[in-house]
């Protein structure tokens, strides 16, 4: 078996699964194609023995045990690998269930698709599933334990923590999109200019002064003391020689901790003597960055955490450190093992509670209590195993929100304003939280910026609290605010880039700050910030992350969709310009119908109140209306198209080319924008395919509420040129000849260019064409045949992007296509694009039109501009 590729799909994908994050694995099983599971001796028995829990897999049979029935009858190994990948993730604590295995279009090759929670775990599961399947086939023993543990570790390394995860989940529930900005806990909620950020439970609105104060326990205690908040008596020292005096001043019992500590590091409690204080001081020093150590009174009572969000107390919890209770017969280690057997305890944050680990600190605490791990403690005796009550070290929490005294609530809310934190955790020690601290002798020990939510989200006992909700309420206070910006997504075989540029230009004329992606780069407010083919999900995310952008136009190509899905989950407008044969035979897409399914992902992502804009002249595109859950608008070059008429009778929105006008129709009422011949992009109305692009763009602008006046202004001011539309019908007029440069790179694009150039006068038309490596032989042949019809002379060149084929192979494919159409066509082969252009210019006769077709525009564009500048200076000499 061989894995050709493993890709993670972000957002909706061509399987039309909307709410799954998916691994797509292309698995080459050619050598196994003739040996399904029923042909491998003992395979069924070995599989069911290794994975008895797979009995729950229903598979296509639709009942428990369905998958095993398929295996027993015989099924392909790709299908089995899919189920193994799902099962081992579930065994590692990540319950995922969606999977599919489908043919790739090549004998013995499959698309294996399955869900994951963390991408790194999904990729690991894919590879591990192949290894396991190979072991099952060969009858070799396989130990799952290492894989299960590794997947748990990967999840803990990569997953969002419980606090951040809860905020993200609450955002998702409200329709607020999010993007993870680093491998830690920094996340963006919302898009572009409307985004907010969180890092764990610190928000983009959290006061930096408040965080600094909370991190400085000395200043925090001083401010609270000045505000008459109950705090323990204490002193701050830096040197060991000051410790004895501090102990006398404060009085035993003591707590010693670093002033800049967190998560319980370096803290020692209930210190009863100077020797204990000295050891605690040194321990605190090791955990302190500043070297400042707090010596304060140890307050008797229990540890409570009060959580305040937006100056309102939202939850309170009683925290207990990890501990065991003796039964008179079991050793301490056995008691720990019993506690860890609780199904609620797991590795790291995978479950409600964390398993208790026996580390050096635990062993020291046990030793100080006069025991070892082999000791048996008396029945009912409680032995504390950690020095803090953190859940991450095995502690427990009990929700006490409903019993906290109003005076303590008022105190907590007041503290949040004193320290100036929008989210803060206040640690209180008291014997009874239902009474005011003044009555119990309790005190406020700490104020924490970025407090953990886990103890409130899933307390060991008591009522769980949705503490993420008030965070989102604060960040997005307006009802229904999702932090989104308008997103227009465009796909299709041809016309995507021009349509994207035109929409972006119109939106800019309206006053939006636009970010847009194209096949030649990413633009933020018309500044080119990334170059190259930027039509995939990472480029879309680049725009949506930008805090200056309030309108996004995203070109979405086939390659990005198949490779990694989308960089967004929902858009406001989805456009499909057309579907024609292009890039067939790649990534399992072998027919135009399959390609249409890929393009059809964009309409499926449109929000329910948004619009999908479809080409009514294209059967495959028009059929996409059946799978959408949004409004549909249509455009056509024929106002009498029955599909257009039908939608108009239903009072729908359409755009048509009628009587020479670009016209928007609401129902049957027409709003003529302007004559097509007056729109620069159309070259006086001669470029019909450009009119089609204009129709799609004006519809998108119209349904986004942009006025007809602003749309007209955009149409009038986008000029086909190297500056505004690089590589799209760029016409350069020289003294004796002209050069037309266009991105036509497939048969449909060449046909459209042919219709346009037929209307251009020229003494001779010279075509410069190139084969494309990721096209089928018949596609390159067809390009050559169309060129033979279009041009009087042809120069075959080849660029440096061969994409898997040799230069000689590509040139031959084009030449064969030319000869099929016209064996006598004048053809010259000049592999270098630069030399091919120079040759055409050098031999151009008066009135000639040189037409350069290129799918890699920048180099050709620069050379033509360079030649134009030389001519202007009288320096054009190609001898």
């Amino acid at each position: 078996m061989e894995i050709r590729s493993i890709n993670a799909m972000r957002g909706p994908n061509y399987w039309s699964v909307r709410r799954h994050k998916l691994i797509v694995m292309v698995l080459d099983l050619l050598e196994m194609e003739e040996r399904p599971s029923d042909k491998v001796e003992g395979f069924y028995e070995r599989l069911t023995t290794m994975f008895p829990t797979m009995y729950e897999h229903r598979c296509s049979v639709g009942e428990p045990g369905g998958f095993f029935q398929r295996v027993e009858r015989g099924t392909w190994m790709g299908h089995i690998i899919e189920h193994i990948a799902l099962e081992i993730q579930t065994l590692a604590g990540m319950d995922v269930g969606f999977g599919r295995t489908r043919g790739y279009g090549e004998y013995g090759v499959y698309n294996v698709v399955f869900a994951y929670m963390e991408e790194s775990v999904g990729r690991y599961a894919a590879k591990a599933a192949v290894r396991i399947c190979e072991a099952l086939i060969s009858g070799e023993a396989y130990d799952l334990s290492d894989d299960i543990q590794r997947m748990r570790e990967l999840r803990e390394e990569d997953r969002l923590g419980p606090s951040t995860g809860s905020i993200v989940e609450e955002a998702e529930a409200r329709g607020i999109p999010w993007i993870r900005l680093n491998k830690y806990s920094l996340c963006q909620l919302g898009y572009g200019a409307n985004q907010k950020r969180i890092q764990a439970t610190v928000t983009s609105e959290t006061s930096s002064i408040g965080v600094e104060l909370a991190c400085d326990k000395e200043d925090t205690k001083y401010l609270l003391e000045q505000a008459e908040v109950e705090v323990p008596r204490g002193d701050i020292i830096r040197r060991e020689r000051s410790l004895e005096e501090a102990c006398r001043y404060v009085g035993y019992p003591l707590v010693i901790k670093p002033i800049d500590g967190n998560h319980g590091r370096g803290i020692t409690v209930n210190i009863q003597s100077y020797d204990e204080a000295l050891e605690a001081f040194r321990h605190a020093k090791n955990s302190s960055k500043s070297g400042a150590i707090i010596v304060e009174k140890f307050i008797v009572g229990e540890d409570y955490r009060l959580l305040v969000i937006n100056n309102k107390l939202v939850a309170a919890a009683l925290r207990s450190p990890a501990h065991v209770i003796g039964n008179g017969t079991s050793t301490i280690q056995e008691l720990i093992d019993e506690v860890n057997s609780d199904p609620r305890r797991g590795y790291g944050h995978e479950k409600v509670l964390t398993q208790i680990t026996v580390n050096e600190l635990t062993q020291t605490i046990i030793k100080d209590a006069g025991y070892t791990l082999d000791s048996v403690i008396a029945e009912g005796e409680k032995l504390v195993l950690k020095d803090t009550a953190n859940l991450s070290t095995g502690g427990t929490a009990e929700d006490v929100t409903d019993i906290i005294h109003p005076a303590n609530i008022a105190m907590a809310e007041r503290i949040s304003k004193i320290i100036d934190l929008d989210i803060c955790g206040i640690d209180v020690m008291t014997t009874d939280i239902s009474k005011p601290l003044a009555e119990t002798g309790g005190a406020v020990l700490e104020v924490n910026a970025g407090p953990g939510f886990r103890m409130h989200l899933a307390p060991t006992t008591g009522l769980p609290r949705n503490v993420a909700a008030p965070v989102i309420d604060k960040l997005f206070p307006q009802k229904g605010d999702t932090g989104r910006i308008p997103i227009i997504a465009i796909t299709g075989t041809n016309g995507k880039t021009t349509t994207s540029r035109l929409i972006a230009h119109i939106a800019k004329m309206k006053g939006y700050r636009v970010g847009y992606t194209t096949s030649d780069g990413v633009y933020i407010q018309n500044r080119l910030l990334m170059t190259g083919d930027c039509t995939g999900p990472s480029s879309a995310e680049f725009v949506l992350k930008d805090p200056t952008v309030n309108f996004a136009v995203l070109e979405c190509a086939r390659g990005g969709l198949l490779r990694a899905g989308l960089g967004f989950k929902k858009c406001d407008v989805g456009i499909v310009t057309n579907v024609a044969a292009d890039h067939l035979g790649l990534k399992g897409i072998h027919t135009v119908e399959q390609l249409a399914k890929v393009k059809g992902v964009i309409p499926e992502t449109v929000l329910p109140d948004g619009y999908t804009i479809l080409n009514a002249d294209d059967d495959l595109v028009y059929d996409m209306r059946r799978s959408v859950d949004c409004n549909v608008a249509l455009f056509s070059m024929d106002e009498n198209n029955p599909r257009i008429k039908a939608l108009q009778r239903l009072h729908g929105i359409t755009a048509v080319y009628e009587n020479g006008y670009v016209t928007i129709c609401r129902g049957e009422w027409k709003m003529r924008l302007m004559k097509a011949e007056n729109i620069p992009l159309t070259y006086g109305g001669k470029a019909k395919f450009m009119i089609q692009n204009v129709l799609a763009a004006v519809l998108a602008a119209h349904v986004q509420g942009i006025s007809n006046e602003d749309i007209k202004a955009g149409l009038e001011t986008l000029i086909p040129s190297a500056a505004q539309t690089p590589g799209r019908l760029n016409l350069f007029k020289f003294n004796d000849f002209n050069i037309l440069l266009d991105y036509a790179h497939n048969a449909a694009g060449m046909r459209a260019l042919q219709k346009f150039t037929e209307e251009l006068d020229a003494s001779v038309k010279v075509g410069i064409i190139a084969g494309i490596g990721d096209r089928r032989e018949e596609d390159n042949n067809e390009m050559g045949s169309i060129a033979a019809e279009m041009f009087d002379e042809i120069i075959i060149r080849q660029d440096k992007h061969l994409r898997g084929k040799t230069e000689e192979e590509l040139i031959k494919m084009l030449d064969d296509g030319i000869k099929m159409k016209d064996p006598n066509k004048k053809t010259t082969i000049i592999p270098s694009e630069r030399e091919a252009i120079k040759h055409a210019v050098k031999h151009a006769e008066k009135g000639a039109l040189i037409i350069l077709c290129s799918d890699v525009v920048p180099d050709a564009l620069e050379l033509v501009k360079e030649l134009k500048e030389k001519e202007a200076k009288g320096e054009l000499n190609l001898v």
Side-chain angles (χ1 to χ4, degrees):
M1 300 183 201
E2 176 189 350
I3 299 174
R4 290 192 181 182
S5 64
I6 303 178
N7 296 310
M9 305 292 288
R10 288 177 282 178
N13 54 82
Y14 68 97
W15 296 101
S16 299
V17 180
R18 299 192 178 193
R19 297 189 63 79
H20 293 280
K21 296 185 289 184
L22 303 176
I23 289 292
V24 180
M25 175 169 53
V26 181
L27 191 60
D28 192 338
L29 300 175
L30 186 58
E31 72 274 19
M32 293 302 304
E33 183 67 15
E34 301 301 333
R35 296 182 68 200
S37 55
D38 62 331
K39 297 293 193 301
V40 180
E41 185 177 351
F43 185 90
Y44 174 81
E45 291 76 13
R46 291 193 290 272
L47 178 69
T48 54
T49 300
M50 179 177 281
F51 296 107
T53 49
M54 270 195 192
Y55 182 77
E56 297 301 322
H57 292 214
R58 295 170 173 263
C59 203
S60 57
V61 178
E63 62 184 27
F67 172 62
F68 282 160
Q69 292 178 38
R70 293 284 307 277
V71 174
E72 192 171 20
R73 292 198 305 263
T75 189
W76 302 116
M77 293 301 171
H79 181 210
I80 295 168
I81 286 168
E82 167 210 325
H83 281 265
I84 292 175
L86 292 171
E87 185 62 18
I88 60 177
Q89 289 185 85
T90 300
L91 292 173
M94 290 153 275
D95 191 8
V96 289
F98 178 85
R100 293 287 186 273
T101 299
R102 297 289 185 268
Y104 189 73
E106 297 178 27
Y107 182 76
V109 184
Y110 295 88
N111 267 316
V112 180
V113 181
F114 59 87
Y116 66 85
M117 288 185 178
E118 298 298 330
E119 183 178 326
S120 59
V121 176
R123 289 179 178 275
Y124 186 94
K127 295 175 182 177
V130 172
R131 293 195 301 268
I132 293 167
C133 195
E134 287 174 333
L136 287 167
I137 292 169
S138 63
E140 298 174 1
Y142 193 97
D143 185 359
L144 286 173
S145 58
D146 288 344
D147 287 333
I148 300 302
Q149 181 59 25
R150 182 55 186 150
M151 286 189 286
R152 285 173 171 165
E153 292 170 355
L154 286 171
R155 183 187 188 187
E156 291 307 303
E157 289 171 9
D158 293 352
R159 71 179 293 190
L160 293 172
S163 302
T164 313
S166 69
I167 297 172
V168 166
E169 287 175 10
E170 181 66 23
E172 279 194 321
R174 301 188 189 194
I176 299 169
W178 68 282
I179 301 172
R180 191 171 184 173
L181 298 178
N182 63 14
K183 66 178 182 179
Y184 303 109
S185 58
L186 180 63
C187 295
Q188 172 184 318
L189 307 180
Y191 287 148
N194 294 335
Q195 68 180 268
K196 304 290 184 180
R197 291 183 179 181
I198 59 169
Q199 183 162 279
T201 59
V202 175
T203 77
S204 50
E205 297 184 359
T206 298
S207 162
S208 58
I209 294 177
V211 172
E212 190 173 336
L213 280 173
C215 291
D216 189 326
K217 293 177 175 56
E218 180 180 10
D219 276 354
T220 297
K221 185 176 179 182
Y222 176 77
L223 288 177
L224 295 182
E225 203 169 28
Q226 295 297 305
E228 296 297 329
V229 174
E230 288 85 357
V231 293
R233 187 179 211 188
D235 196 5
I236 296 174
I237 61 175
R238 293 180 178 273
R239 297 174 180 81
E240 194 175 297
R241 63 173 177 264
S242 305
L243 177 62
E244 189 171 0
E245 182 180 346
C247 291
R248 284 197 302 270
Y249 167 70
V250 176
Y252 298 105
L254 299 171
V255 175
I256 294 181
K257 56 188 175 182
I259 199 168
D260 50 4
N262 55 48
H263 300 295
R265 296 187 184 95
I267 298 176
T268 307
V269 300
N270 199 16
I271 298 166
Q272 300 286 349
S273 67
Y274 179 72
D275 287 342
E276 291 180 10
L278 188 59
E279 185 179 349
F281 176 85
R282 291 167 180 168
H283 178 54
K285 270 286 190 181
N286 290 335
S287 301
S288 174
K289 294 179 182 178
S290 65
I293 306 299
I294 295 177
V295 180
E296 66 183 17
K297 189 73 174 179
F298 176 64
I299 305 297
V300 177
E302 295 180 295
D303 184 355
Y304 292 89
R305 165 61 64 83
L306 312 183
L307 180 63
V308 181
I309 298 175
N310 201 18
N311 308 126
K312 295 291 182 183
L313 185 129
V314 297
L318 168 62
R319 304 190 298 174
S320 299
H323 64 275
V324 291
I325 298 176
N327 57 17
T329 59
S330 300
T331 67
I332 292 173
Q333 183 62 65
E334 288 170 342
L335 292 172
I336 293 172
D337 293 341
E338 184 180 347
V339 170
N340 284 339
S341 67
D342 184 338
R344 295 176 298 171
R345 290 189 182 270
Y347 180 82
H349 291 149
E350 72 177 355
K351 295 185 179 179
V352 173
L353 298 174
T354 300
Q355 291 188 343
I356 300 171
T357 57
V358 178
N359 56 16
E360 185 177 345
L361 172 63
T362 305
Q363 291 178 331
T364 300
I365 292 173
I366 293 172
K367 180 181 177 182
D368 291 345
Y371 299 120
T372 69
L373 286 170
D374 295 324
S375 300
V376 175
I377 56 177
E379 185 172 356
E381 181 181 346
K382 179 178 179 179
L383 177 63
V384 173
L385 301 172
K386 302 291 181 181
D387 59 356
T388 68
N390 294 337
L391 268 66
S392 59
T393 60
T396 59
E398 176 188 352
D399 179 74
V400 295
T401 308
D402 294 332
I403 67 169
I404 187 170
H405 194 277
N408 294 335
I409 294 175
M411 174 199 70
E413 294 175 350
R414 184 165 170 259
I415 288 172
S416 73
K417 292 185 178 181
I418 292 169
I419 305 302
D420 190 23
L421 285 173
D422 59 344
I423 301 174
C424 69
I426 301 166
D427 291 340
V428 173
M429 186 70 72
T430 181
T431 55
D432 189 349
I433 199 67
S434 67
K435 296 178 182 179
L437 292 191
E439 293 182 12
T440 63
V444 173
L445 303 182
E446 284 189 29
V447 178
N448 299 276
F453 285 179
R454 187 182 179 193
M455 70 188 78
H456 309 295
L457 295 165
T460 315
T461 57
L463 189 67
R465 307 284 172 170
N466 181 9
V467 293
V471 176
I472 300 298
D473 290 339
K474 182 183 189 304
L475 293 175
F476 300 94
Q478 298 299 319
K479 186 176 181 180
D481 183 4
T482 61
R484 298 179 57 85
I485 61 173
I487 297 176
I488 297 180
I490 303 99
T491 193
T493 301
N494 293 305
K496 299 184 297 295
T497 298
T498 300
T499 304
S500 299
R501 286 184 177 279
L502 181 53
I503 295 169
H505 184 71
I506 292 170
K508 185 187 175 192
M509 298 298 289
K510 171 65 177 173
Y512 285 108
R513 300 187 301 278
V514 184
Y516 62 101
T517 67
T518 70
S519 57
D520 53 65
V522 177
Y523 296 78
I524 303 295
Q525 299 186 59
N526 270 12
R527 291 187 178 274
L528 179 63
L529 298 185
M530 293 175 66
T531 58
D533 187 348
C534 296
T535 55
S538 59
S539 301
E541 280 195 354
F542 183 91
V543 169
L544 298 175
K545 287 176 184 176
D546 194 290
T548 67
V549 170
N550 62 11
F551 196 102
V553 182
L554 308 175
E555 180 181 343
C556 304
R558 168 210 59 88
L561 285 166
L562 289 170
R563 183 179 62 256
L566 297 168
F568 57 91
K569 286 191 175 180
K570 294 289 183 181
C571 60
D572 299 273
V573 177
I575 300 173
V576 186
T577 57
N578 46 60
V579 177
D582 193 22
H583 294 288
L584 298 182
L586 298 175
K587 294 189 179 294
I589 304 302
H590 297 271
T591 68
V592 181
E593 288 73 21
Q594 288 176 325
L595 183 60
K597 287 185 178 181
V598 177
K599 306 289 187 182
V601 166
I602 296 300
E604 291 177 10
T605 67
V606 178
L607 290 160
D609 59 349
Y611 276 85
T612 185
I613 296 174
L614 303 175
N615 183 350
D617 300 332
D618 187 310
D619 293 344
L620 290 172
V621 175
Y622 181 66
D623 281 347
M624 294 176 189
R625 76 195 189 284
R626 303 180 189 278
S627 60
V628 302
D629 183 25
C630 62
N631 302 299
V632 175
L634 300 175
F635 64 92
S636 174
M637 294 293 286
D638 176 11
E639 68 166 322
N640 295 312
N641 184 320
R643 297 164 177 173
I644 293 289
K645 290 296 184 183
L647 185 58
Q648 289 175 345
R649 286 193 294 271
L650 295 172
H651 307 289
I653 299 175
T654 58
V656 295
Y657 177 53
E658 53 87 28
N659 293 317
Y661 283 90
V662 169
T663 300
I664 295 174
C665 304
R666 296 190 73 95
E668 296 181 340
W669 293 100
K670 294 180 179 179
M671 294 177 285
R672 286 179 170 172
L673 289 176
M674 58 191 301
K675 279 196 169 185
E677 65 184 33
N678 295 329
I679 300 172
L681 275 178
T682 72
Y683 278 89
K686 294 176 182 177
K688 302 299 183 187
F689 62 94
M690 281 295 189
I691 299 175
Q692 194 175 65
N693 296 336
V694 168
L695 292 173
V698 299
L699 259 186
H702 180 75
V703 299
Q704 276 295 293
I706 298 177
S707 70
N708 289 348
E709 288 72 21
D710 286 325
I711 294 174
K712 288 172 66 176
L715 294 177
E716 290 171 342
T717 53
L718 186 67
I719 311 299
S721 62
Q724 288 188 288
T725 59
R728 274 70 184 176
L729 288 191
N730 299 155
L731 184 63
F732 296 85
K733 295 186 176 181
F734 288 73
N735 292 335
D736 296 325
F737 58 90
N738 295 326
I739 297 179
L740 179 68
L741 190 152
D742 191 72
Y743 187 68
H745 61 291
N746 54 45
M750 288 285 283
R751 288 290 184 197
L753 183 62
Q754 180 182 18
K755 289 180 181 178
F756 171 61
T757 56
E758 283 173 351
E759 299 194 33
L760 300 181
D761 294 327
S763 59
V764 63
K765 294 175 182 176
V766 180
I768 303 176
I769 64 173
I772 300 173
D774 58 1
R775 303 298 200 282
R776 300 171 302 176
E777 181 176 356
E778 57 263 41
D779 297 327
N780 282 309
N781 289 163
E782 186 178 6
M783 292 275 284
S785 295
I786 296 171
E789 295 177 13
M790 290 177 65
F791 307 125
D792 301 301
E793 300 175 17
I794 300 174
I795 300 173
I796 301 177
R797 55 96 184 169
Q798 193 53 55
D799 62 38
K800 55 190 175 184
H801 302 285
L802 298 175
R803 303 175 187 179
K805 292 186 175 67
T806 67
E807 185 177 280
E808 292 76 16
E809 286 175 328
L810 290 171
I811 290 173
K812 184 177 185 305
M813 289 177 195
L814 287 175
D815 197 36
D816 287 348
I818 294 168
K819 287 183 169 60
M820 290 176 196
K821 181 62 65 174
D822 185 352
N824 299 314
K825 180 67 66 176
K826 182 179 179 182
T827 304
T828 306
I829 297 174
I830 306 176
S832 164
E833 179 181 66
R834 188 175 183 87
E835 294 307 315
I837 295 171
K838 286 184 175 181
H839 175 87
V841 169
K842 178 181 178 181
H843 295 90
E845 64 181 66
K846 191 173 182 63
L849 175 62
I850 300 169
I851 301 169
L852 173 58
C853 303
S854 177
D855 73 326
V856 183
V857 172
D859 293 345
L861 197 56
E862 286 304 311
L863 176 58
V864 175
K865 287 161 63 177
E866 177 188 321
L867 295 174
K868 180 69 178 167
E869 290 172 6
K870 284 184 177 181
E871 183 186 70
K873 296 177 182 178
E875 300 173 357
L876 184 59
N877 182 5
L878 300 174
V879 177

